[in-house]
Amino acid sequence: MADISRQELIALRLASHRLAPVPSMPSGPAGFKRVEQAVQWMGAVQAQEYAHARWAVGSRFAEPVAVTDAAIEGALAGRKVVRSWVLRGTLHLAAAADLRWLLALAAPALLTRTAAAYREVNLDEAAFRKILPALRKCLEGGQQLTRAELFAALARRRIDTEGPRGGRILYRAAQAGLICLGDPQGKQARYTLLDEWLPPQPELPREDALKKLAQRYFASHGPATLADFTWWSGLAAGEARAALEMAAPGLAHALFERDTVWWSKGTQALAQPTGKPAPQLLAGFDEYVLGYTDRKAIVDTAHAGKLMTPNGLFRPALLIGGRVAGTWQAEVKKSGLSISTAPFTPLPRGSAGALRLAAQRYAAFMDLPLAQVC
């Protein structure tokens, strides 16, 4: 089996993620025209940090098509994209057309994995036979309730939501396809019934769903290993392996540092040499950083810890030539958007202009003037 270098792997990953430099991206089918297309391409987009998730989607649009933060929110309000607990029991954005089959595929392994945690707070199948119908009653008729409002409604029905119990009830209800997140109320999420939020979708046979998820993951995240896919999907190891085997005819593979990595055969035509390192501003929790079991290919081990806050949140990453070179943050001031960077090492000479272009792209997404980059 042939080997690929780090540079080749990075070029392929940038192309897979649709993060390759904009001039190298062809027009037509490779570009996205609608928000739900970008989300669908990624399989699902991790979204516990909602504002960052919107930029994670927006950053994958190539010129001349560009989207704004408001357009991403519009796709959620228009029910083209939905936010719910999808893979690994973590909040994700998913295309509306995909949400039900993704939930059905991911739920069995997740429920097995979390059964002990549920038992710790006296939640078992018998308890949920009472709780889930009560929760449905609270939300019937198009209701959208905040967590506090929903817990109060459940309390009136004598359902205990104290401590971690309330959160676990919501996770289980989402994984069962009962609820999803609706329109936010300011910065507060609101919960609603999935069956009232989205039209019904035909069931997808499990083998077809496994194959489709593997195809999407390796097309959007490859080159990646089976272990990467198993972790990202949350599937049981045997099912993840079977999914890769079904998707394999459409995939290329090679060795990277003694591990077999897989990617879509169609990606090769899009992958370009990284050339002159170009700065890019990634979202916090971006799939380019998060979608793998380790990050050794894109960030030096000495700096990997700097990507996370003390409470375990992933900071927005500054990429240079596809490798993580630092972090960044944005602040809205009276004069406009101020972007500050924290490089791990001094940035390459002459990169200030390209960094400003990357910052201007983010400012345009936010529909704000760019005041400062430092």
Side-chain angles (χ1 to χ4, degrees), residues 128-140 143 145 150-151 153-154 157 159 161 166-174 178-180 191-194:
F128 280 115
R129 281 195 289 273
K130 174 187 176 184
I131 292 169
L132 295 184
L135 197 156
R136 178 183 289 278
K137 289 288 186 184
C138 294
L139 291 171
E140 279 180 344
Q143 292 245 55
L145 301 180
L150 183 52
F151 285 178
L154 287 171
R157 295 174 181 274
I159 304 295
T161 59
R168 299 224 168 98
I169 288 171
L170 295 181
Y171 299 156
R172 176 60 181 270
L178 179 63
I179 64 170
C180 64
Y191 302 86
T192 194
L193 290 178
L194 176 59

PDB file of all heavy atoms in Angstrom, residues 128-140 143 145 150-151 153-154 157 159 161 166-174 178-180 191-194:
ATOM      1  N   PHE A 128     -39.263   5.975  31.315  1.00  0.00           N
ATOM      2  CA  PHE A 128     -39.481   6.712  30.069  1.00  0.00           C
ATOM      3  C   PHE A 128     -40.847   6.417  29.450  1.00  0.00           C
ATOM      4  O   PHE A 128     -41.366   7.251  28.695  1.00  0.00           O
ATOM      5  CB  PHE A 128     -38.352   6.429  29.082  1.00  0.00           C
ATOM      6  CG  PHE A 128     -37.118   7.236  29.359  1.00  0.00           C
ATOM      7  CD1 PHE A 128     -35.931   6.625  29.743  1.00  0.00           C
ATOM      8  CD2 PHE A 128     -37.148   8.618  29.250  1.00  0.00           C
ATOM      9  CE1 PHE A 128     -34.800   7.373  30.011  1.00  0.00           C
ATOM     10  CE2 PHE A 128     -36.013   9.374  29.522  1.00  0.00           C
ATOM     11  CZ  PHE A 128     -34.842   8.751  29.898  1.00  0.00           C
ATOM     12  N   ARG A 129     -41.435   5.284  29.765  1.00  0.00           N
ATOM     13  CA  ARG A 129     -42.789   5.014  29.268  1.00  0.00           C
ATOM     14  C   ARG A 129     -43.797   6.001  29.850  1.00  0.00           C
ATOM     15  O   ARG A 129     -44.853   6.252  29.262  1.00  0.00           O
ATOM     16  CB  ARG A 129     -43.194   3.571  29.581  1.00  0.00           C
ATOM     17  CG  ARG A 129     -42.586   2.552  28.618  1.00  0.00           C
ATOM     18  CD  ARG A 129     -43.276   1.206  28.718  1.00  0.00           C
ATOM     19  NE  ARG A 129     -42.982   0.517  29.961  1.00  0.00           N
ATOM     20  CZ  ARG A 129     -41.927  -0.278  30.156  1.00  0.00           C
ATOM     21  NH1 ARG A 129     -41.066  -0.484  29.145  1.00  0.00           N
ATOM     22  NH2 ARG A 129     -41.722  -0.873  31.305  1.00  0.00           N
ATOM     23  N   LYS A 130     -43.469   6.581  30.988  1.00  0.00           N
ATOM     24  CA  LYS A 130     -44.300   7.621  31.588  1.00  0.00           C
ATOM     25  C   LYS A 130     -43.847   9.015  31.157  1.00  0.00           C
ATOM     26  O   LYS A 130     -44.667   9.890  30.843  1.00  0.00           O
ATOM     27  CB  LYS A 130     -44.240   7.502  33.116  1.00  0.00           C
ATOM     28  CG  LYS A 130     -44.956   8.639  33.839  1.00  0.00           C
ATOM     29  CD  LYS A 130     -44.726   8.562  35.349  1.00  0.00           C
ATOM     30  CE  LYS A 130     -45.366   9.768  36.054  1.00  0.00           C
ATOM     31  NZ  LYS A 130     -45.073   9.777  37.509  1.00  0.00           N
ATOM     32  N   ILE A 131     -42.517   9.212  31.120  1.00  0.00           N
ATOM     33  CA  ILE A 131     -41.972  10.555  30.906  1.00  0.00           C
ATOM     34  C   ILE A 131     -42.174  11.047  29.482  1.00  0.00           C
ATOM     35  O   ILE A 131     -42.586  12.192  29.261  1.00  0.00           O
ATOM     36  CB  ILE A 131     -40.471  10.568  31.267  1.00  0.00           C
ATOM     37  CG1 ILE A 131     -40.292  10.376  32.775  1.00  0.00           C
ATOM     38  CG2 ILE A 131     -39.811  11.865  30.807  1.00  0.00           C
ATOM     39  CD1 ILE A 131     -38.855  10.101  33.181  1.00  0.00           C
ATOM     40  N   LEU A 132     -41.902  10.208  28.490  1.00  0.00           N
ATOM     41  CA  LEU A 132     -41.952  10.679  27.107  1.00  0.00           C
ATOM     42  C   LEU A 132     -43.360  11.094  26.678  1.00  0.00           C
ATOM     43  O   LEU A 132     -43.522  12.148  26.035  1.00  0.00           O
ATOM     44  CB  LEU A 132     -41.355   9.631  26.164  1.00  0.00           C
ATOM     45  CG  LEU A 132     -39.849   9.354  26.359  1.00  0.00           C
ATOM     46  CD1 LEU A 132     -39.348   8.377  25.302  1.00  0.00           C
ATOM     47  CD2 LEU A 132     -39.021  10.633  26.323  1.00  0.00           C
ATOM     48  N   PRO A 133     -44.417  10.342  27.005  1.00  0.00           N
ATOM     49  CA  PRO A 133     -45.767  10.832  26.679  1.00  0.00           C
ATOM     50  C   PRO A 133     -46.102  12.141  27.390  1.00  0.00           C
ATOM     51  O   PRO A 133     -46.777  13.011  26.817  1.00  0.00           O
ATOM     52  CB  PRO A 133     -46.681   9.693  27.144  1.00  0.00           C
ATOM     53  CG  PRO A 133     -45.819   8.472  27.096  1.00  0.00           C
ATOM     54  CD  PRO A 133     -44.459   8.953  27.506  1.00  0.00           C
ATOM     55  N   ALA A 134     -45.619  12.298  28.636  1.00  0.00           N
ATOM     56  CA  ALA A 134     -45.866  13.551  29.363  1.00  0.00           C
ATOM     57  C   ALA A 134     -45.157  14.713  28.674  1.00  0.00           C
ATOM     58  O   ALA A 134     -45.720  15.813  28.541  1.00  0.00           O
ATOM     59  CB  ALA A 134     -45.383  13.415  30.806  1.00  0.00           C
ATOM     60  N   LEU A 135     -43.951  14.466  28.227  1.00  0.00           N
ATOM     61  CA  LEU A 135     -43.199  15.504  27.525  1.00  0.00           C
ATOM     62  C   LEU A 135     -43.911  15.890  26.231  1.00  0.00           C
ATOM     63  O   LEU A 135     -44.006  17.072  25.875  1.00  0.00           O
ATOM     64  CB  LEU A 135     -41.779  15.014  27.262  1.00  0.00           C
ATOM     65  CG  LEU A 135     -40.715  16.057  26.899  1.00  0.00           C
ATOM     66  CD1 LEU A 135     -39.331  15.520  27.254  1.00  0.00           C
ATOM     67  CD2 LEU A 135     -40.740  16.434  25.439  1.00  0.00           C
ATOM     68  N   ARG A 136     -44.430  14.901  25.530  1.00  0.00           N
ATOM     69  CA  ARG A 136     -45.179  15.183  24.295  1.00  0.00           C
ATOM     70  C   ARG A 136     -46.378  16.087  24.590  1.00  0.00           C
ATOM     71  O   ARG A 136     -46.637  17.055  23.858  1.00  0.00           O
ATOM     72  CB  ARG A 136     -45.643  13.870  23.656  1.00  0.00           C
ATOM     73  CG  ARG A 136     -46.471  14.081  22.388  1.00  0.00           C
ATOM     74  CD  ARG A 136     -46.964  12.756  21.824  1.00  0.00           C
ATOM     75  NE  ARG A 136     -45.876  11.976  21.253  1.00  0.00           N
ATOM     76  CZ  ARG A 136     -45.378  12.147  20.043  1.00  0.00           C
ATOM     77  NH1 ARG A 136     -45.874  13.109  19.250  1.00  0.00           N
ATOM     78  NH2 ARG A 136     -44.403  11.398  19.604  1.00  0.00           N
ATOM     79  N   LYS A 137     -47.100  15.786  25.670  1.00  0.00           N
ATOM     80  CA  LYS A 137     -48.258  16.596  26.033  1.00  0.00           C
ATOM     81  C   LYS A 137     -47.859  18.047  26.300  1.00  0.00           C
ATOM     82  O   LYS A 137     -48.596  18.982  25.958  1.00  0.00           O
ATOM     83  CB  LYS A 137     -48.949  16.007  27.263  1.00  0.00           C
ATOM     84  CG  LYS A 137     -49.689  14.697  27.018  1.00  0.00           C
ATOM     85  CD  LYS A 137     -50.962  14.927  26.218  1.00  0.00           C
ATOM     86  CE  LYS A 137     -51.773  13.642  26.088  1.00  0.00           C
ATOM     87  NZ  LYS A 137     -52.972  13.844  25.212  1.00  0.00           N
ATOM     88  N   CYS A 138     -46.691  18.245  26.906  1.00  0.00           N
ATOM     89  CA  CYS A 138     -46.231  19.604  27.225  1.00  0.00           C
ATOM     90  C   CYS A 138     -45.991  20.442  25.972  1.00  0.00           C
ATOM     91  O   CYS A 138     -46.073  21.675  26.016  1.00  0.00           O
ATOM     92  CB  CYS A 138     -44.940  19.549  28.044  1.00  0.00           C
ATOM     93  SG  CYS A 138     -45.117  18.834  29.686  1.00  0.00           S
ATOM     94  N   LEU A 139     -45.651  19.782  24.856  1.00  0.00           N
ATOM     95  CA  LEU A 139     -45.231  20.502  23.659  1.00  0.00           C
ATOM     96  C   LEU A 139     -46.241  20.446  22.515  1.00  0.00           C
ATOM     97  O   LEU A 139     -46.036  21.089  21.481  1.00  0.00           O
ATOM     98  CB  LEU A 139     -43.888  19.944  23.172  1.00  0.00           C
ATOM     99  CG  LEU A 139     -42.681  20.227  24.064  1.00  0.00           C
ATOM    100  CD1 LEU A 139     -41.456  19.445  23.585  1.00  0.00           C
ATOM    101  CD2 LEU A 139     -42.359  21.726  24.101  1.00  0.00           C
ATOM    102  N   GLU A 140     -47.320  19.695  22.683  1.00  0.00           N
ATOM    103  CA  GLU A 140     -48.281  19.544  21.595  1.00  0.00           C
ATOM    104  C   GLU A 140     -48.869  20.881  21.175  1.00  0.00           C
ATOM    105  O   GLU A 140     -48.984  21.813  21.972  1.00  0.00           O
ATOM    106  CB  GLU A 140     -49.410  18.596  22.011  1.00  0.00           C
ATOM    107  CG  GLU A 140     -49.037  17.133  21.880  1.00  0.00           C
ATOM    108  CD  GLU A 140     -50.157  16.198  22.299  1.00  0.00           C
ATOM    109  OE1 GLU A 140     -51.100  16.678  22.982  1.00  0.00           O
ATOM    110  OE2 GLU A 140     -50.096  15.002  21.970  1.00  0.00           O
ATOM    111  N   GLN A 143     -46.025  24.103  20.356  1.00  0.00           N
ATOM    112  CA  GLN A 143     -45.349  24.826  21.437  1.00  0.00           C
ATOM    113  C   GLN A 143     -43.840  24.760  21.274  1.00  0.00           C
ATOM    114  O   GLN A 143     -43.282  23.734  20.855  1.00  0.00           O
ATOM    115  CB  GLN A 143     -45.728  24.218  22.783  1.00  0.00           C
ATOM    116  CG  GLN A 143     -47.174  24.421  23.163  1.00  0.00           C
ATOM    117  CD  GLN A 143     -47.299  25.299  24.406  1.00  0.00           C
ATOM    118  OE1 GLN A 143     -46.779  26.412  24.453  1.00  0.00           O
ATOM    119  NE2 GLN A 143     -47.973  24.774  25.398  1.00  0.00           N
ATOM    120  N   LEU A 145     -40.733  25.636  23.929  1.00  0.00           N
ATOM    121  CA  LEU A 145     -40.468  26.010  25.315  1.00  0.00           C
ATOM    122  C   LEU A 145     -38.976  26.017  25.599  1.00  0.00           C
ATOM    123  O   LEU A 145     -38.232  25.164  25.095  1.00  0.00           O
ATOM    124  CB  LEU A 145     -41.153  25.027  26.274  1.00  0.00           C
ATOM    125  CG  LEU A 145     -42.684  24.897  26.174  1.00  0.00           C
ATOM    126  CD1 LEU A 145     -43.188  23.893  27.202  1.00  0.00           C
ATOM    127  CD2 LEU A 145     -43.374  26.239  26.346  1.00  0.00           C
ATOM    128  N   LEU A 150     -39.974  24.147  29.979  1.00  0.00           N
ATOM    129  CA  LEU A 150     -40.318  22.737  29.780  1.00  0.00           C
ATOM    130  C   LEU A 150     -40.197  21.965  31.081  1.00  0.00           C
ATOM    131  O   LEU A 150     -41.064  21.137  31.410  1.00  0.00           O
ATOM    132  CB  LEU A 150     -39.420  22.129  28.703  1.00  0.00           C
ATOM    133  CG  LEU A 150     -39.691  20.680  28.317  1.00  0.00           C
ATOM    134  CD1 LEU A 150     -41.158  20.456  27.960  1.00  0.00           C
ATOM    135  CD2 LEU A 150     -38.800  20.262  27.152  1.00  0.00           C
ATOM    136  N   PHE A 151     -39.152  22.238  31.854  1.00  0.00           N
ATOM    137  CA  PHE A 151     -38.999  21.552  33.135  1.00  0.00           C
ATOM    138  C   PHE A 151     -40.132  21.923  34.092  1.00  0.00           C
ATOM    139  O   PHE A 151     -40.617  21.075  34.860  1.00  0.00           O
ATOM    140  CB  PHE A 151     -37.651  21.892  33.757  1.00  0.00           C
ATOM    141  CG  PHE A 151     -36.480  21.191  33.095  1.00  0.00           C
ATOM    142  CD1 PHE A 151     -35.184  21.436  33.519  1.00  0.00           C
ATOM    143  CD2 PHE A 151     -36.667  20.302  32.056  1.00  0.00           C
ATOM    144  CE1 PHE A 151     -34.099  20.806  32.932  1.00  0.00           C
ATOM    145  CE2 PHE A 151     -35.598  19.660  31.451  1.00  0.00           C
ATOM    146  CZ  PHE A 151     -34.306  19.922  31.891  1.00  0.00           C
ATOM    147  N   ALA A 153     -43.171  22.706  33.174  1.00  0.00           N
ATOM    148  CA  ALA A 153     -44.351  21.981  32.678  1.00  0.00           C
ATOM    149  C   ALA A 153     -44.289  20.511  33.083  1.00  0.00           C
ATOM    150  O   ALA A 153     -45.316  19.917  33.452  1.00  0.00           O
ATOM    151  CB  ALA A 153     -44.442  22.116  31.165  1.00  0.00           C
ATOM    152  N   LEU A 154     -43.107  19.910  33.031  1.00  0.00           N
ATOM    153  CA  LEU A 154     -42.962  18.520  33.461  1.00  0.00           C
ATOM    154  C   LEU A 154     -43.175  18.384  34.967  1.00  0.00           C
ATOM    155  O   LEU A 154     -43.768  17.394  35.424  1.00  0.00           O
ATOM    156  CB  LEU A 154     -41.569  17.999  33.065  1.00  0.00           C
ATOM    157  CG  LEU A 154     -41.360  17.732  31.575  1.00  0.00           C
ATOM    158  CD1 LEU A 154     -39.891  17.448  31.277  1.00  0.00           C
ATOM    159  CD2 LEU A 154     -42.226  16.564  31.096  1.00  0.00           C
ATOM    160  N   ARG A 157     -46.556  17.919  35.969  1.00  0.00           N
ATOM    161  CA  ARG A 157     -47.014  16.550  35.715  1.00  0.00           C
ATOM    162  C   ARG A 157     -46.273  15.542  36.597  1.00  0.00           C
ATOM    163  O   ARG A 157     -46.268  14.346  36.332  1.00  0.00           O
ATOM    164  CB  ARG A 157     -46.834  16.211  34.229  1.00  0.00           C
ATOM    165  CG  ARG A 157     -47.711  17.066  33.323  1.00  0.00           C
ATOM    166  CD  ARG A 157     -47.410  16.806  31.842  1.00  0.00           C
ATOM    167  NE  ARG A 157     -48.238  17.641  30.992  1.00  0.00           N
ATOM    168  CZ  ARG A 157     -49.483  17.332  30.593  1.00  0.00           C
ATOM    169  NH1 ARG A 157     -50.003  16.162  30.954  1.00  0.00           N
ATOM    170  NH2 ARG A 157     -50.177  18.165  29.855  1.00  0.00           N
ATOM    171  N   ILE A 159     -43.068  15.080  37.086  1.00  0.00           N
ATOM    172  CA  ILE A 159     -41.848  14.494  36.522  1.00  0.00           C
ATOM    173  C   ILE A 159     -40.667  15.240  37.114  1.00  0.00           C
ATOM    174  O   ILE A 159     -40.552  16.456  36.975  1.00  0.00           O
ATOM    175  CB  ILE A 159     -41.819  14.608  34.984  1.00  0.00           C
ATOM    176  CG1 ILE A 159     -43.060  13.960  34.356  1.00  0.00           C
ATOM    177  CG2 ILE A 159     -40.536  14.007  34.426  1.00  0.00           C
ATOM    178  CD1 ILE A 159     -43.169  12.480  34.543  1.00  0.00           C
ATOM    179  N   THR A 161     -37.110  16.704  37.320  1.00  0.00           N
ATOM    180  CA  THR A 161     -36.059  17.112  36.390  1.00  0.00           C
ATOM    181  C   THR A 161     -34.870  17.740  37.124  1.00  0.00           C
ATOM    182  O   THR A 161     -34.057  18.430  36.522  1.00  0.00           O
ATOM    183  CB  THR A 161     -36.607  18.132  35.368  1.00  0.00           C
ATOM    184  OG1 THR A 161     -37.112  19.277  36.073  1.00  0.00           O
ATOM    185  CG2 THR A 161     -37.701  17.525  34.521  1.00  0.00           C
ATOM    186  N   GLY A 166     -32.798  16.129  34.431  1.00  0.00           N
ATOM    187  CA  GLY A 166     -33.505  16.886  33.407  1.00  0.00           C
ATOM    188  C   GLY A 166     -32.795  16.838  32.065  1.00  0.00           C
ATOM    189  O   GLY A 166     -33.426  16.613  31.019  1.00  0.00           O
ATOM    190  N   GLY A 167     -31.491  17.035  32.087  1.00  0.00           N
ATOM    191  CA  GLY A 167     -30.718  16.985  30.852  1.00  0.00           C
ATOM    192  C   GLY A 167     -30.790  15.625  30.203  1.00  0.00           C
ATOM    193  O   GLY A 167     -30.918  15.510  28.975  1.00  0.00           O
ATOM    194  N   ARG A 168     -30.744  14.580  30.998  1.00  0.00           N
ATOM    195  CA  ARG A 168     -30.780  13.228  30.443  1.00  0.00           C
ATOM    196  C   ARG A 168     -32.149  12.925  29.833  1.00  0.00           C
ATOM    197  O   ARG A 168     -32.248  12.197  28.836  1.00  0.00           O
ATOM    198  CB  ARG A 168     -30.418  12.215  31.525  1.00  0.00           C
ATOM    199  CG  ARG A 168     -28.998  12.452  32.069  1.00  0.00           C
ATOM    200  CD  ARG A 168     -28.187  11.198  32.223  1.00  0.00           C
ATOM    201  NE  ARG A 168     -26.786  11.557  32.460  1.00  0.00           N
ATOM    202  CZ  ARG A 168     -26.202  11.606  33.651  1.00  0.00           C
ATOM    203  NH1 ARG A 168     -26.901  11.329  34.731  1.00  0.00           N
ATOM    204  NH2 ARG A 168     -24.926  11.927  33.767  1.00  0.00           N
ATOM    205  N   ILE A 169     -33.187  13.472  30.424  1.00  0.00           N
ATOM    206  CA  ILE A 169     -34.513  13.301  29.834  1.00  0.00           C
ATOM    207  C   ILE A 169     -34.566  13.944  28.450  1.00  0.00           C
ATOM    208  O   ILE A 169     -35.079  13.356  27.485  1.00  0.00           O
ATOM    209  CB  ILE A 169     -35.598  13.898  30.759  1.00  0.00           C
ATOM    210  CG1 ILE A 169     -35.773  13.013  32.001  1.00  0.00           C
ATOM    211  CG2 ILE A 169     -36.926  14.058  30.015  1.00  0.00           C
ATOM    212  CD1 ILE A 169     -36.666  13.615  33.074  1.00  0.00           C
ATOM    213  N   LEU A 170     -34.019  15.144  28.326  1.00  0.00           N
ATOM    214  CA  LEU A 170     -34.014  15.829  27.039  1.00  0.00           C
ATOM    215  C   LEU A 170     -33.188  15.058  26.015  1.00  0.00           C
ATOM    216  O   LEU A 170     -33.597  14.918  24.858  1.00  0.00           O
ATOM    217  CB  LEU A 170     -33.474  17.247  27.198  1.00  0.00           C
ATOM    218  CG  LEU A 170     -34.311  18.207  28.043  1.00  0.00           C
ATOM    219  CD1 LEU A 170     -33.651  19.579  28.081  1.00  0.00           C
ATOM    220  CD2 LEU A 170     -35.730  18.325  27.503  1.00  0.00           C
ATOM    221  N   TYR A 171     -32.004  14.558  26.418  1.00  0.00           N
ATOM    222  CA  TYR A 171     -31.162  13.802  25.484  1.00  0.00           C
ATOM    223  C   TYR A 171     -31.909  12.583  24.965  1.00  0.00           C
ATOM    224  O   TYR A 171     -31.913  12.290  23.766  1.00  0.00           O
ATOM    225  CB  TYR A 171     -29.870  13.342  26.159  1.00  0.00           C
ATOM    226  CG  TYR A 171     -28.981  14.439  26.677  1.00  0.00           C
ATOM    227  CD1 TYR A 171     -28.074  14.190  27.704  1.00  0.00           C
ATOM    228  CD2 TYR A 171     -29.044  15.733  26.170  1.00  0.00           C
ATOM    229  CE1 TYR A 171     -27.257  15.195  28.197  1.00  0.00           C
ATOM    230  CE2 TYR A 171     -28.230  16.741  26.658  1.00  0.00           C
ATOM    231  CZ  TYR A 171     -27.344  16.465  27.685  1.00  0.00           C
ATOM    232  OH  TYR A 171     -26.544  17.457  28.173  1.00  0.00           O
ATOM    233  N   ARG A 172     -32.545  11.859  25.876  1.00  0.00           N
ATOM    234  CA  ARG A 172     -33.252  10.638  25.476  1.00  0.00           C
ATOM    235  C   ARG A 172     -34.423  10.973  24.544  1.00  0.00           C
ATOM    236  O   ARG A 172     -34.668  10.276  23.545  1.00  0.00           O
ATOM    237  CB  ARG A 172     -33.741   9.892  26.708  1.00  0.00           C
ATOM    238  CG  ARG A 172     -34.583   8.657  26.407  1.00  0.00           C
ATOM    239  CD  ARG A 172     -33.798   7.625  25.588  1.00  0.00           C
ATOM    240  NE  ARG A 172     -34.611   6.468  25.273  1.00  0.00           N
ATOM    241  CZ  ARG A 172     -34.709   5.382  26.036  1.00  0.00           C
ATOM    242  NH1 ARG A 172     -34.030   5.320  27.171  1.00  0.00           N
ATOM    243  NH2 ARG A 172     -35.463   4.372  25.680  1.00  0.00           N
ATOM    244  N   ALA A 173     -35.130  12.046  24.863  1.00  0.00           N
ATOM    245  CA  ALA A 173     -36.258  12.435  24.019  1.00  0.00           C
ATOM    246  C   ALA A 173     -35.794  12.813  22.618  1.00  0.00           C
ATOM    247  O   ALA A 173     -36.454  12.495  21.623  1.00  0.00           O
ATOM    248  CB  ALA A 173     -37.015  13.595  24.659  1.00  0.00           C
ATOM    249  N   ALA A 174     -34.656  13.476  22.529  1.00  0.00           N
ATOM    250  CA  ALA A 174     -34.112  13.838  21.211  1.00  0.00           C
ATOM    251  C   ALA A 174     -33.655  12.596  20.464  1.00  0.00           C
ATOM    252  O   ALA A 174     -33.904  12.457  19.252  1.00  0.00           O
ATOM    253  CB  ALA A 174     -32.953  14.817  21.386  1.00  0.00           C
ATOM    254  N   LEU A 178     -38.297  12.355  19.430  1.00  0.00           N
ATOM    255  CA  LEU A 178     -39.491  13.022  19.955  1.00  0.00           C
ATOM    256  C   LEU A 178     -39.366  14.542  19.861  1.00  0.00           C
ATOM    257  O   LEU A 178     -40.321  15.230  19.491  1.00  0.00           O
ATOM    258  CB  LEU A 178     -39.731  12.599  21.407  1.00  0.00           C
ATOM    259  CG  LEU A 178     -40.929  13.245  22.093  1.00  0.00           C
ATOM    260  CD1 LEU A 178     -42.237  12.865  21.397  1.00  0.00           C
ATOM    261  CD2 LEU A 178     -40.982  12.836  23.575  1.00  0.00           C
ATOM    262  N   ILE A 179     -38.197  15.092  20.208  1.00  0.00           N
ATOM    263  CA  ILE A 179     -38.021  16.543  20.233  1.00  0.00           C
ATOM    264  C   ILE A 179     -36.797  16.950  19.413  1.00  0.00           C
ATOM    265  O   ILE A 179     -35.937  16.127  19.094  1.00  0.00           O
ATOM    266  CB  ILE A 179     -37.861  17.084  21.675  1.00  0.00           C
ATOM    267  CG1 ILE A 179     -36.576  16.541  22.328  1.00  0.00           C
ATOM    268  CG2 ILE A 179     -39.083  16.772  22.517  1.00  0.00           C
ATOM    269  CD1 ILE A 179     -36.216  17.207  23.653  1.00  0.00           C
ATOM    270  N   CYS A 180     -36.736  18.219  19.089  1.00  0.00           N
ATOM    271  CA  CYS A 180     -35.548  18.837  18.511  1.00  0.00           C
ATOM    272  C   CYS A 180     -35.550  20.286  18.984  1.00  0.00           C
ATOM    273  O   CYS A 180     -36.475  20.713  19.690  1.00  0.00           O
ATOM    274  CB  CYS A 180     -35.549  18.758  16.983  1.00  0.00           C
ATOM    275  SG  CYS A 180     -36.894  19.690  16.206  1.00  0.00           S
ATOM    276  N   TYR A 191     -37.312  24.069  22.833  1.00  0.00           N
ATOM    277  CA  TYR A 191     -37.567  22.689  22.438  1.00  0.00           C
ATOM    278  C   TYR A 191     -38.962  22.583  21.839  1.00  0.00           C
ATOM    279  O   TYR A 191     -39.909  23.259  22.268  1.00  0.00           O
ATOM    280  CB  TYR A 191     -37.438  21.764  23.656  1.00  0.00           C
ATOM    281  CG  TYR A 191     -36.081  21.871  24.295  1.00  0.00           C
ATOM    282  CD1 TYR A 191     -35.824  22.857  25.252  1.00  0.00           C
ATOM    283  CD2 TYR A 191     -35.043  21.036  23.920  1.00  0.00           C
ATOM    284  CE1 TYR A 191     -34.567  22.987  25.815  1.00  0.00           C
ATOM    285  CE2 TYR A 191     -33.783  21.151  24.477  1.00  0.00           C
ATOM    286  CZ  TYR A 191     -33.554  22.135  25.415  1.00  0.00           C
ATOM    287  OH  TYR A 191     -32.306  22.279  25.968  1.00  0.00           O
ATOM    288  N   THR A 192     -39.093  21.708  20.852  1.00  0.00           N
ATOM    289  CA  THR A 192     -40.367  21.514  20.185  1.00  0.00           C
ATOM    290  C   THR A 192     -40.477  20.063  19.726  1.00  0.00           C
ATOM    291  O   THR A 192     -39.479  19.320  19.734  1.00  0.00           O
ATOM    292  CB  THR A 192     -40.494  22.495  18.994  1.00  0.00           C
ATOM    293  OG1 THR A 192     -41.839  22.538  18.548  1.00  0.00           O
ATOM    294  CG2 THR A 192     -39.585  22.091  17.838  1.00  0.00           C
ATOM    295  N   LEU A 193     -41.658  19.641  19.333  1.00  0.00           N
ATOM    296  CA  LEU A 193     -41.849  18.264  18.875  1.00  0.00           C
ATOM    297  C   LEU A 193     -41.316  18.103  17.453  1.00  0.00           C
ATOM    298  O   LEU A 193     -41.698  18.860  16.548  1.00  0.00           O
ATOM    299  CB  LEU A 193     -43.329  17.886  18.920  1.00  0.00           C
ATOM    300  CG  LEU A 193     -43.963  17.722  20.303  1.00  0.00           C
ATOM    301  CD1 LEU A 193     -45.443  17.393  20.160  1.00  0.00           C
ATOM    302  CD2 LEU A 193     -43.255  16.655  21.121  1.00  0.00           C
ATOM    303  N   LEU A 194     -40.497  17.119  17.248  1.00  0.00           N
ATOM    304  CA  LEU A 194     -39.917  16.884  15.926  1.00  0.00           C
ATOM    305  C   LEU A 194     -40.998  16.611  14.891  1.00  0.00           C
ATOM    306  O   LEU A 194     -40.937  17.109  13.766  1.00  0.00           O
ATOM    307  CB  LEU A 194     -38.922  15.722  15.993  1.00  0.00           C
ATOM    308  CG  LEU A 194     -38.280  15.281  14.676  1.00  0.00           C
ATOM    309  CD1 LEU A 194     -37.520  16.432  14.018  1.00  0.00           C
ATOM    310  CD2 LEU A 194     -37.334  14.097  14.900  1.00  0.00           C
TER     311      LEU A 194
END
